[in-house]
Amino acid sequence: MSVYAPSEPSPPRLRKVKIVVSGAFGTGKTTLVSAVTEVRPLLTEAVMTQASEGIDVLAGVESKTTTTVAMDFGRITLPTGDPEHGIVLMLFGTPGQNRFSNIWDDLSYRAAGAVVLVDTRRLEDAFDVVAYFEAQKLPFLVAVNLFDHAPRYLLDEVRDALRLEASVPVIACDVRDRQSVLDALTDLVRHALFRLPASPIGTPGARP
């Protein structure tokens, strides 16, 4: 009589999705990646020197002493409710300064979507970032980073100020808070992969 060993359970089928985390200089990209990654983050932070004086505008982020010069990388598995079909997000954070913009094309290649972080103290800095992803026709959402002491505006006011199309989600996010970042990434996946509306979060006036 043949004896058969019990079959091993099949490993979960994980779908890997590339996500770009972008925004102007000092909007919190490195903090977002570091807050949520389940692996040790790869950070390419360099100390800012006098050579950047007159180039990097520090208004609103005067305490910033380092900057990303290549990319940040992290990974997070989104809970889907189905253990057999998970989604793993590969997070690629872009440099914020225009002089590193040639790296953006490489980081955005074959990405499913992007999170564009904005600082309400420097909303005008987001125009070039938004224009880039619009030109790339890459799905993106705008996440208003809830910096302490930054002005609070209604999300619709941010949308109007950035001249965003109605189809672009605008949400509030505290990039220091892991759950807040998870919510933002979940909204991006819903928008980029499934074309579903972002979950209602309210206005930037309250912490998520």
Side-chain angles (χ1 to χ4, degrees), residues 39-141:
V39 299
R40 185 183 181 91
L42 170 63
L43 308 177
T44 57
E45 291 277 285
V47 176
M48 297 173 62
T49 66
Q50 290 182 341
S52 68
E53 290 183 3
I55 300 175
D56 296 331
V57 179
L58 296 178
V61 287
E62 292 84 359
S63 62
K64 188 172 176 61
T65 58
T66 61
T67 184
T68 299
V69 295
M71 70 171 190
D72 299 322
F73 174 79
R75 187 189 73 196
I76 180 65
T77 303
L78 287 185
T80 63
D82 182 355
E84 296 298 319
H85 298 85
I87 297 178
V88 178
L89 302 185
M90 317 300 285
L91 306 176
F92 290 82
T94 67
Q97 299 94 323
N98 288 336
R99 64 183 183 276
F100 298 125
S101 60
N102 60 311
I103 301 174
W104 287 30
D105 289 342
D106 292 333
L107 296 181
S108 299
Y109 180 66
R110 290 190 174 179
V115 174
V116 175
L117 288 170
V118 301
D119 180 349
T120 56
R121 296 168 296 183
R122 299 175 294 128
L123 269 179
E124 66 279 2
D125 292 350
F127 280 106
D128 288 343
V129 185
V130 168
Y132 175 83
F133 290 108
E134 288 177 338
Q136 295 292 318
K137 300 189 184 305
L138 186 67
F140 69 95
L141 64 72

XYZ file of all heavy atoms in Angstrom, residues 39-141:
791
model
N 11.315 46.140 5.677
C 12.722 45.752 5.586
C 13.565 46.974 5.907
O 13.061 48.104 5.949
C 13.079 45.210 4.177
C 12.260 43.969 3.858
C 12.898 46.280 3.106
N 14.822 46.752 6.130
C 15.727 47.882 6.386
C 15.734 48.793 5.168
O 16.027 48.342 4.057
C 17.135 47.372 6.680
C 18.116 48.477 7.066
C 19.507 47.898 7.261
N 20.463 48.914 7.641
C 20.755 49.253 8.904
N 20.144 48.618 9.893
N 21.646 50.183 9.170
N 15.411 50.060 5.326
C 15.339 50.933 4.150
C 16.713 51.210 3.569
O 17.708 51.288 4.297
C 14.703 52.217 4.699
C 15.082 52.229 6.143
C 15.089 50.779 6.570
N 16.754 51.331 2.257
C 17.962 51.773 1.574
C 17.828 53.269 1.360
O 16.950 53.722 0.622
C 18.119 51.063 0.227
C 19.214 51.598 -0.695
C 20.584 51.429 -0.056
C 19.163 50.916 -2.060
N 18.671 54.045 2.011
C 18.600 55.495 1.934
C 19.902 56.034 1.367
O 20.986 55.580 1.744
C 18.354 56.099 3.327
C 17.169 55.535 4.120
C 17.097 56.186 5.502
C 15.859 55.752 3.367
N 19.807 56.990 0.472
C 21.008 57.613 -0.095
C 21.046 59.069 0.349
O 21.057 59.986 -0.466
C 21.026 57.509 -1.634
O 19.847 58.116 -2.164
C 21.079 56.061 -2.074
N 21.066 59.264 1.654
C 21.086 60.598 2.221
C 22.520 61.117 2.267
O 23.448 60.409 2.654
C 20.521 60.573 3.642
C 19.017 60.292 3.696
C 18.216 61.552 3.458
O 18.133 62.387 4.362
O 17.677 61.688 2.353
N 22.698 62.361 1.875
C 23.994 63.020 1.961
C 23.838 64.308 2.760
O 22.792 64.961 2.713
C 24.541 63.324 0.571
N 24.886 64.649 3.489
C 24.855 65.883 4.278
C 24.887 67.077 3.336
O 25.676 67.125 2.391
C 26.047 65.928 5.253
C 26.070 67.254 6.001
C 25.974 64.755 6.225
N 23.993 68.029 3.581
C 23.966 69.241 2.774
C 25.157 70.117 3.133
O 25.513 70.259 4.295
C 22.651 69.995 2.995
C 21.436 69.212 2.559
S 19.880 70.017 2.989
C 20.032 71.525 2.032
N 25.776 70.694 2.121
C 26.973 71.502 2.325
C 26.734 72.919 1.816
O 25.686 73.244 1.271
C 28.166 70.890 1.577
O 27.911 70.968 0.165
C 28.368 69.434 1.972
N 27.755 73.749 1.956
C 27.651 75.127 1.478
C 27.480 75.184 -0.032
O 27.019 76.182 -0.575
C 28.901 75.912 1.892
C 28.977 76.180 3.390
C 30.188 77.004 3.752
O 31.139 77.082 2.994
N 30.148 77.624 4.931
N 27.857 74.099 -0.732
C 27.722 74.084 -2.189
C 26.272 74.180 -2.627
O 25.979 74.585 -3.761
C 28.360 72.815 -2.766
N 25.343 73.806 -1.738
C 23.926 73.854 -2.097
C 23.273 75.186 -1.753
O 22.099 75.397 -2.054
C 23.166 72.727 -1.393
O 23.136 72.949 0.006
N 24.013 76.073 -1.137
C 23.450 77.366 -0.779
C 23.067 78.132 -2.043
O 23.835 78.205 -3.004
C 24.445 78.179 0.053
C 24.660 77.617 1.453
C 25.584 78.489 2.279
O 25.999 79.550 1.767
O 25.891 78.115 3.413
N 21.877 78.707 -2.034
C 21.399 79.420 -3.202
C 20.734 78.519 -4.225
O 20.172 78.993 -5.201
N 20.842 77.195 -4.026
C 20.226 76.227 -4.935
C 19.042 75.558 -4.261
O 17.948 75.510 -4.808
C 21.253 75.165 -5.390
C 22.421 75.840 -6.120
C 20.585 74.131 -6.293
C 23.526 74.878 -6.497
N 19.270 75.021 -3.060
C 18.204 74.374 -2.304
C 17.532 75.415 -1.413
O 18.170 76.025 -0.552
C 18.758 73.240 -1.434
C 19.358 72.128 -2.277
O 18.896 71.944 -3.407
O 20.300 71.470 -1.802
N 16.243 75.634 -1.648
C 15.487 76.611 -0.868
C 15.004 75.944 0.415
O 14.251 74.961 0.376
C 14.295 77.143 -1.680
C 13.502 78.144 -0.848
C 14.786 77.783 -2.978
N 15.415 76.489 1.554
C 15.120 75.859 2.846
C 13.964 76.519 3.579
O 13.738 76.221 4.751
C 16.369 75.889 3.738
C 17.575 75.088 3.220
C 18.745 75.251 4.173
C 17.227 73.625 3.057
N 13.230 77.390 2.913
C 12.096 78.044 3.569
C 11.105 76.998 4.050
O 10.604 76.190 3.270
C 11.418 79.008 2.592
N 10.833 76.990 5.347
C 9.911 76.019 5.918
C 10.570 74.747 6.388
O 9.985 73.988 7.150
N 11.793 74.493 5.938
C 12.516 73.267 6.346
C 13.941 73.639 6.748
O 14.906 72.984 6.374
C 12.511 72.203 5.222
C 11.151 71.579 5.074
C 12.969 72.812 3.903
N 14.062 74.714 7.516
C 15.381 75.230 7.872
C 16.224 74.225 8.650
O 17.453 74.295 8.621
C 15.230 76.523 8.688
C 14.685 77.708 7.901
C 13.164 77.722 7.802
O 12.525 76.774 8.336
O 12.627 78.658 7.201
N 15.559 73.286 9.360
C 16.303 72.330 10.176
C 16.828 71.150 9.365
O 17.549 70.297 9.892
C 15.417 71.807 11.310
O 14.286 71.128 10.791
N 16.508 71.088 8.088
C 16.927 69.957 7.261
C 18.431 70.016 7.010
O 18.956 71.040 6.562
C 16.166 69.964 5.937
C 16.395 68.722 5.080
C 15.457 68.715 3.884
C 15.709 67.535 2.953
N 15.508 66.235 3.646
N 19.133 68.913 7.288
C 20.590 68.885 7.131
C 21.062 67.850 6.118
O 22.237 67.832 5.760
C 21.272 68.578 8.481
O 20.785 67.313 8.976
C 20.967 69.672 9.495
N 20.176 66.960 5.666
C 20.551 65.948 4.684
C 19.564 65.968 3.535
O 18.465 66.506 3.652
C 20.571 64.529 5.301
O 19.259 64.211 5.768
C 21.564 64.449 6.456
N 19.965 65.351 2.434
C 19.083 65.292 1.265
C 19.344 64.007 0.500
O 20.456 63.463 0.525
C 19.309 66.505 0.341
O 18.365 66.461 -0.724
C 20.721 66.507 -0.244
N 18.303 63.493 -0.168
C 18.430 62.287 -0.981
C 19.113 62.644 -2.291
O 18.706 63.578 -2.979
C 17.047 61.680 -1.260
O 16.442 61.324 -0.013
C 17.163 60.431 -2.137
N 20.156 61.880 -2.654
C 20.907 62.188 -3.868
C 20.720 61.122 -4.951
O 21.186 61.314 -6.075
C 22.407 62.359 -3.569
C 22.628 63.568 -2.675
C 22.987 61.105 -2.909
N 20.087 60.021 -4.654
C 19.823 58.993 -5.670
C 18.408 58.479 -5.520
O 17.540 58.772 -6.333
C 20.843 57.850 -5.575
N 18.155 57.731 -4.451
C 16.808 57.233 -4.212
C 16.717 56.686 -2.801
O 17.736 56.449 -2.141
C 16.449 56.116 -5.203
C 17.210 54.832 -4.973
S 16.603 53.456 -5.983
C 17.523 52.077 -5.232
N 15.495 56.508 -2.346
C 15.206 55.734 -1.138
C 14.469 54.479 -1.586
O 13.756 54.498 -2.589
C 14.323 56.521 -0.165
C 14.981 57.808 0.305
O 16.200 57.789 0.518
O 14.266 58.814 0.453
N 14.631 53.395 -0.847
C 13.923 52.165 -1.203
C 13.397 51.491 0.045
O 14.078 51.400 1.072
C 14.829 51.187 -1.955
C 14.169 49.854 -2.216
C 13.255 49.717 -3.251
C 14.417 48.761 -1.394
C 12.615 48.505 -3.484
C 13.789 47.536 -1.625
C 12.888 47.419 -2.670
N 12.167 51.001 -0.050
C 11.574 50.213 1.013
C 10.560 49.253 0.427
O 10.263 49.294 -0.776
N 10.020 48.376 1.269
C 9.041 47.387 0.811
C 7.992 47.184 1.890
O 8.302 47.147 3.073
C 9.738 46.047 0.521
C 8.820 45.001 -0.113
C 9.516 43.646 -0.158
N 9.612 43.043 1.164
C 10.413 42.030 1.476
N 11.233 41.533 0.570
N 10.424 41.540 2.709
N 6.739 47.067 1.444
C 5.657 46.832 2.390
C 4.632 45.914 1.748
O 4.286 46.067 0.576
C 4.993 48.165 2.829
C 3.865 47.919 3.827
C 4.498 48.957 1.643
C 4.312 47.352 5.146
N 4.159 44.943 2.518
C 3.099 44.042 2.059
C 1.765 44.576 2.547
O 1.549 44.736 3.749
C 3.317 42.615 2.602
O 4.606 42.143 2.195
C 2.251 41.672 2.058
N 0.884 44.862 1.607
C -0.426 45.393 1.975
C -1.347 44.264 2.421
O -1.428 43.225 1.757
C -1.070 46.117 0.791
C -0.500 47.473 0.390
C -1.371 48.062 -0.719
C -0.446 48.422 1.574
N -2.061 44.458 3.515
C -3.064 43.462 3.904
C -4.240 43.515 2.939
O -4.833 44.575 2.717
C -3.467 43.907 5.309
C -3.149 45.369 5.359
C -1.967 45.581 4.456
N -4.563 42.370 2.347
C -5.657 42.332 1.369
C -6.859 41.549 1.874
O -7.912 41.559 1.237
C -5.186 41.695 0.052
O -4.801 40.327 0.304
C -4.006 42.452 -0.529
N -6.715 40.840 2.978
C -7.803 40.004 3.464
C -7.809 38.631 2.829
O -8.593 37.765 3.214
N -6.939 38.419 1.851
C -6.835 37.125 1.171
C -5.395 36.650 1.288
O -4.507 37.156 0.597
C -7.230 37.268 -0.296
C -7.182 35.925 -1.039
O -6.746 34.925 -0.437
O -7.571 35.896 -2.225
N -5.111 35.682 2.186
C -3.727 35.238 2.403
C -3.095 34.613 1.173
O -1.878 34.459 1.098
C -3.859 34.214 3.548
C -5.281 33.752 3.492
C -6.076 34.929 3.017
N -3.907 34.223 0.188
C -3.371 33.593 -1.018
C -2.964 34.608 -2.084
O -2.285 34.259 -3.044
C -4.416 32.629 -1.600
C -4.747 31.457 -0.705
C -3.531 30.572 -0.446
O -2.759 30.335 -1.390
O -3.354 30.140 0.712
N -3.425 35.829 -1.940
C -3.155 36.832 -2.973
C -2.767 38.153 -2.309
O -3.617 39.004 -2.073
C -4.366 37.036 -3.889
C -4.765 35.806 -4.651
N -5.594 34.856 -4.104
C -4.427 35.380 -5.893
C -5.767 33.880 -4.996
N -5.073 34.178 -6.072
N -1.492 38.311 -2.006
C -1.006 39.524 -1.385
C -0.450 40.502 -2.407
O -0.187 40.152 -3.560
N -0.292 41.741 -1.990
C 0.300 42.771 -2.822
C 1.506 43.341 -2.080
O 1.389 43.825 -0.956
C -0.692 43.898 -3.142
C -1.870 43.353 -3.957
C -0.011 45.030 -3.908
C -2.929 44.403 -4.264
N 2.669 43.239 -2.700
C 3.897 43.779 -2.138
C 4.246 45.052 -2.890
O 4.408 45.034 -4.110
C 5.056 42.772 -2.229
C 6.343 43.391 -1.684
C 4.719 41.503 -1.471
N 4.344 46.155 -2.175
C 4.702 47.419 -2.795
C 6.204 47.648 -2.658
O 6.751 47.608 -1.555
C 3.948 48.573 -2.136
C 2.425 48.501 -2.145
C 1.839 49.784 -1.561
C 1.888 48.257 -3.551
N 6.842 47.880 -3.776
C 8.259 48.229 -3.803
C 8.320 49.752 -3.926
O 7.948 50.315 -4.959
C 8.960 47.560 -4.982
C 8.565 46.099 -5.191
S 8.927 45.030 -3.762
C 10.705 44.892 -3.926
N 8.750 50.405 -2.869
C 8.698 51.858 -2.784
C 10.031 52.478 -3.214
O 11.083 52.158 -2.657
C 8.372 52.291 -1.357
C 7.111 51.697 -0.734
C 6.975 52.148 0.718
C 5.875 52.095 -1.543
N 9.964 53.383 -4.182
C 11.148 54.074 -4.664
C 10.959 55.576 -4.458
O 10.122 56.199 -5.106
C 11.379 53.779 -6.151
C 11.811 52.371 -6.433
C 10.888 51.339 -6.508
C 13.150 52.061 -6.607
C 11.281 50.033 -6.768
C 13.569 50.759 -6.861
C 12.629 49.745 -6.946
N 11.729 56.142 -3.538
C 11.643 57.570 -3.271
C 12.598 58.347 -4.164
O 13.772 57.978 -4.313
N 12.104 59.414 -4.771
C 12.914 60.205 -5.692
C 13.654 61.312 -4.949
O 13.227 61.758 -3.884
C 12.039 60.861 -6.775
O 11.194 61.852 -6.158
C 11.183 59.841 -7.499
N 14.762 61.797 -5.526
C 15.363 63.027 -5.002
C 14.418 64.201 -5.245
O 13.621 64.176 -6.189
C 16.647 63.178 -5.834
C 16.826 61.896 -6.570
C 15.491 61.265 -6.673
N 14.509 65.220 -4.424
C 13.583 66.330 -4.545
C 14.073 67.480 -5.406
O 13.272 68.229 -5.942
N 15.387 67.624 -5.540
C 15.913 68.783 -6.246
C 15.882 68.588 -7.755
O 16.074 67.481 -8.261
C 17.358 69.080 -5.812
C 17.497 69.397 -4.337
C 17.841 68.175 -3.526
O 17.364 67.074 -3.793
N 18.672 68.367 -2.521
N 15.694 69.678 -8.483
C 15.615 69.615 -9.941
C 16.897 69.085 -10.566
O 16.870 68.467 -11.629
C 15.303 71.002 -10.510
C 13.875 71.428 -10.234
O 13.004 70.587 -10.027
N 13.636 72.728 -10.201
N 18.034 69.313 -9.914
C 19.298 68.878 -10.516
C 19.444 67.356 -10.540
O 20.346 66.842 -11.194
C 20.485 69.527 -9.804
C 20.673 69.143 -8.339
C 21.849 69.936 -7.750
N 22.158 69.605 -6.388
C 21.555 70.112 -5.332
N 20.558 70.975 -5.508
N 21.909 69.784 -4.095
N 18.572 66.654 -9.816
C 18.591 65.194 -9.843
C 17.422 64.628 -10.647
O 17.135 63.434 -10.584
C 18.536 64.630 -8.419
C 19.694 65.020 -7.554
C 19.482 65.637 -6.324
C 21.002 64.775 -7.953
C 20.543 65.997 -5.524
C 22.074 65.132 -7.152
C 21.849 65.752 -5.932
N 16.747 65.479 -11.421
C 15.520 65.053 -12.101
C 15.763 63.970 -13.153
O 14.832 63.252 -13.527
C 14.829 66.254 -12.741
O 15.679 66.877 -13.692
N 17.003 63.843 -13.641
C 17.270 62.796 -14.639
C 17.088 61.399 -14.048
O 16.883 60.432 -14.787
C 18.698 62.941 -15.184
C 19.755 62.812 -14.095
O 19.661 63.443 -13.048
N 20.767 62.011 -14.342
N 17.127 61.289 -12.729
C 16.948 59.991 -12.076
C 15.474 59.596 -12.069
O 15.135 58.418 -11.986
C 17.511 60.041 -10.641
C 18.999 60.391 -10.665
C 17.298 58.713 -9.910
C 19.592 60.596 -9.286
N 14.581 60.572 -12.164
C 13.154 60.283 -12.053
C 12.680 59.320 -13.134
O 11.841 58.460 -12.870
C 12.351 61.579 -12.140
C 12.432 62.447 -10.924
C 13.478 62.544 -10.053
C 11.437 63.342 -10.456
N 13.186 63.459 -9.079
C 11.951 63.963 -9.300
C 10.176 63.693 -10.909
C 11.228 64.900 -8.579
C 9.446 64.636 -10.194
C 9.974 65.228 -9.035
N 13.189 59.464 -14.355
C 12.749 58.578 -15.439
C 13.064 57.127 -15.113
O 12.250 56.232 -15.352
C 13.421 58.968 -16.764
C 12.892 60.281 -17.311
O 11.808 60.717 -16.887
O 13.563 60.865 -18.177
N 14.258 56.878 -14.576
C 14.644 55.508 -14.233
C 13.772 54.962 -13.107
O 13.321 53.809 -13.148
C 16.121 55.457 -13.811
C 17.063 55.756 -14.965
O 16.676 55.501 -16.124
O 18.176 56.252 -14.712
N 13.521 55.785 -12.090
C 12.728 55.314 -10.952
C 11.270 55.110 -11.325
O 10.587 54.280 -10.726
C 12.846 56.304 -9.790
C 14.247 56.468 -9.184
C 14.203 57.452 -8.024
C 14.811 55.130 -8.720
N 10.783 55.860 -12.300
C 9.377 55.759 -12.700
C 9.126 54.665 -13.729
O 7.957 54.344 -14.008
C 8.886 57.097 -13.268
O 8.986 58.116 -12.302
N 10.187 54.081 -14.283
C 10.029 53.075 -15.332
C 9.261 51.867 -14.800
O 9.621 51.277 -13.789
C 11.410 52.644 -15.839
C 11.373 51.600 -16.927
C 10.845 51.901 -18.177
C 11.871 50.320 -16.707
C 10.815 50.954 -19.189
C 11.847 49.366 -17.702
C 11.306 49.686 -18.946
O 11.283 48.734 -19.947
N 8.172 51.540 -15.465
C 7.315 50.406 -15.128
C 6.683 50.526 -13.742
O 6.303 49.518 -13.134
C 8.065 49.080 -15.261
C 8.376 48.722 -16.703
C 8.898 47.304 -16.837
N 9.050 46.943 -18.237
C 9.508 45.760 -18.667
N 9.851 44.826 -17.781
N 9.613 45.509 -19.960
N 6.572 51.727 -13.234
C 5.863 51.926 -11.962
C 4.363 51.873 -12.212
O 3.882 52.215 -13.294
C 6.251 53.264 -11.339
N 3.631 51.439 -11.197
C 2.170 51.372 -11.306
C 1.524 52.691 -10.926
O 0.417 52.999 -11.369
C 1.623 50.257 -10.426
N 2.191 53.475 -10.098
C 1.610 54.727 -9.645
C 2.596 55.484 -8.779
O 3.694 55.014 -8.478
N 2.186 56.680 -8.366
C 3.066 57.535 -7.573
C 2.285 58.264 -6.492
O 1.124 58.629 -6.679
C 3.778 58.549 -8.465
N 2.952 58.476 -5.364
C 2.473 59.364 -4.310
C 3.241 60.672 -4.447
O 4.479 60.668 -4.424
C 2.710 58.778 -2.908
C 2.324 59.792 -1.837
C 1.939 57.493 -2.711
N 2.539 61.771 -4.624
C 3.166 63.090 -4.698
C 2.909 63.810 -3.378
O 1.771 64.179 -3.074
C 2.626 63.913 -5.880
C 3.205 65.328 -5.850
C 2.961 63.230 -7.198
N 3.964 63.992 -2.595
C 3.834 64.679 -1.316
C 3.926 66.182 -1.515
O 4.751 66.668 -2.299
C 4.948 64.228 -0.365
C 4.824 62.814 0.198
C 6.103 62.421 0.924
C 3.627 62.710 1.130
N 3.081 66.921 -0.810
C 3.127 68.374 -0.888
C 3.164 68.963 0.518
O 2.658 68.373 1.481
C 1.938 68.963 -1.677
C 1.903 68.414 -3.089
C 0.621 68.698 -0.968
N 3.769 70.141 0.607
C 3.874 70.901 1.839
C 3.068 72.178 1.630
O 3.344 72.943 0.694
C 5.354 71.216 2.098
C 5.595 72.006 3.372
O 4.626 72.505 3.972
O 6.776 72.136 3.754
N 2.062 72.415 2.467
C 1.196 73.577 2.248
C 1.933 74.900 2.457
O 1.429 75.952 2.062
C -0.029 73.532 3.187
O 0.407 73.453 4.551
C -0.915 72.342 2.856
N 3.118 74.858 3.059
C 3.912 76.084 3.187
C 4.589 76.448 1.874
O 5.030 77.589 1.695
C 4.975 75.901 4.276
C 4.423 75.681 5.665
C 5.492 75.225 6.628
N 6.038 73.922 6.252
C 6.948 73.264 6.969
N 7.400 73.800 8.099
N 7.395 72.090 6.577
N 4.665 75.455 0.957
C 5.372 75.671 -0.310
C 4.622 74.951 -1.437
O 5.198 74.163 -2.176
C 6.806 75.150 -0.196
C 7.644 75.831 0.884
C 9.018 75.209 1.046
N 8.921 73.847 1.561
C 9.515 72.803 0.988
N 10.208 72.941 -0.115
N 9.393 71.609 1.521
N 3.341 75.233 -1.552
C 2.530 74.537 -2.549
C 3.050 74.743 -3.965
O 2.943 73.848 -4.807
C 1.074 75.011 -2.476
C 0.125 74.237 -1.551
C -1.256 74.868 -1.588
C 0.064 72.764 -1.940
N 3.625 75.912 -4.231
C 4.092 76.196 -5.584
C 5.195 75.238 -6.034
O 5.380 75.008 -7.233
C 4.595 77.644 -5.682
C 5.832 77.973 -4.862
C 5.547 78.260 -3.382
O 4.369 78.155 -2.977
O 6.497 78.588 -2.646
N 5.891 74.636 -5.068
C 6.960 73.694 -5.424
C 6.419 72.403 -6.021
O 7.177 71.621 -6.608
C 7.803 73.352 -4.185
C 8.618 74.537 -3.691
O 8.679 75.551 -4.420
O 9.176 74.458 -2.580
N 5.125 72.152 -5.852
C 4.538 70.898 -6.332
C 4.166 70.938 -7.807
O 3.925 69.888 -8.411
C 3.299 70.550 -5.505
N 4.122 72.118 -8.412
C 3.654 72.218 -9.795
C 4.490 71.384 -10.755
O 3.949 70.656 -11.596
C 3.628 73.676 -10.253
C 2.431 74.443 -9.776
C 2.545 75.383 -8.762
C 1.177 74.215 -10.327
C 1.440 76.089 -8.310
C 0.058 74.917 -9.882
C 0.200 75.845 -8.874
N 5.799 71.473 -10.658
C 6.663 70.727 -11.573
C 6.529 69.225 -11.370
O 6.588 68.449 -12.331
C 8.124 71.142 -11.393
C 8.407 72.535 -11.954
O 7.580 73.027 -12.738
O 9.460 73.105 -11.599
N 6.351 68.814 -10.114
C 6.213 67.382 -9.819
C 4.917 66.847 -10.420
O 4.895 65.801 -11.076
C 6.260 67.129 -8.304
C 6.236 65.624 -8.020
C 7.492 67.771 -7.688
N 3.835 67.570 -10.195
C 2.543 67.166 -10.756
C 2.613 67.122 -12.278
O 2.141 66.169 -12.913
C 1.435 68.134 -10.286
C 0.156 67.915 -11.084
C 1.164 67.949 -8.795
N 3.227 68.138 -12.871
C 3.333 68.187 -14.333
C 4.127 67.000 -14.868
O 3.815 66.460 -15.944
C 3.981 69.495 -14.767
N 5.143 66.581 -14.130
C 5.951 65.445 -14.574
C 5.101 64.182 -14.688
O 5.137 63.481 -15.713
C 7.117 65.206 -13.611
C 7.918 63.968 -13.949
C 8.919 64.006 -14.907
C 7.647 62.744 -13.325
C 9.643 62.866 -15.233
C 8.365 61.613 -13.644
C 9.364 61.673 -14.599
O 10.066 60.536 -14.927
N 4.342 63.867 -13.652
C 3.567 62.625 -13.674
C 2.373 62.720 -14.616
O 1.956 61.710 -15.189
C 3.143 62.240 -12.257
C 4.300 61.788 -11.409
C 4.788 62.574 -10.383
C 4.945 60.585 -11.685
C 5.870 62.169 -9.628
C 6.035 60.172 -10.935
C 6.505 60.965 -9.909
N 1.852 63.914 -14.804
C 0.818 64.080 -15.812
C 1.382 63.791 -17.201
O 0.732 63.113 -18.022
C 0.245 65.494 -15.747
C -0.635 65.748 -14.534
C -1.128 67.179 -14.460
O -0.487 68.071 -15.075
O -2.149 67.429 -13.775
N 2.591 64.287 -17.472
C 3.214 64.052 -18.776
C 3.545 62.579 -18.973
O 3.464 62.057 -20.099
C 4.472 64.903 -18.915
N 3.920 61.900 -17.890
C 4.241 60.477 -17.966
C 2.984 59.614 -18.059
O 3.080 58.418 -18.312
C 5.039 60.048 -16.725
C 6.410 60.681 -16.595
C 7.361 60.200 -17.659
O 7.409 59.017 -17.981
N 8.135 61.119 -18.229
N 1.815 60.229 -17.841
C 0.537 59.511 -17.813
C 0.575 58.377 -16.786
O 0.020 57.288 -16.998
C 0.174 58.976 -19.201
C 0.040 60.086 -20.245
C -0.522 59.565 -21.543
C -0.564 60.649 -22.607
N -1.314 61.859 -22.174
N 1.228 58.641 -15.675
C 1.322 57.675 -14.586
C 0.286 58.032 -13.524
O 0.238 59.181 -13.071
C 2.725 57.704 -13.971
C 3.034 56.646 -12.910
C 3.054 55.249 -13.538
C 4.384 56.946 -12.247
N -0.576 57.091 -13.146
C -1.561 57.402 -12.096
C -0.862 57.873 -10.819
O 0.150 57.295 -10.408
C -2.275 56.065 -11.873
C -2.051 55.286 -13.124
C -0.703 55.697 -13.622
N -1.393 58.908 -10.209
C -0.798 59.407 -8.970
C -1.883 60.003 -8.089
O -2.985 60.304 -8.542
C 0.286 60.461 -9.258
C -0.228 61.764 -9.816
C -0.489 62.843 -8.988
C -0.441 61.911 -11.185
C -0.964 64.044 -9.494
C -0.912 63.111 -11.710
C -1.179 64.180 -10.863
N -1.546 60.106 -6.811
C -2.391 60.851 -5.892
C -1.531 61.894 -5.205
O -0.304 61.754 -5.123
C -3.112 59.953 -4.894
C -2.357 59.110 -3.854
C -1.746 59.956 -2.743
C -3.301 58.084 -3.231
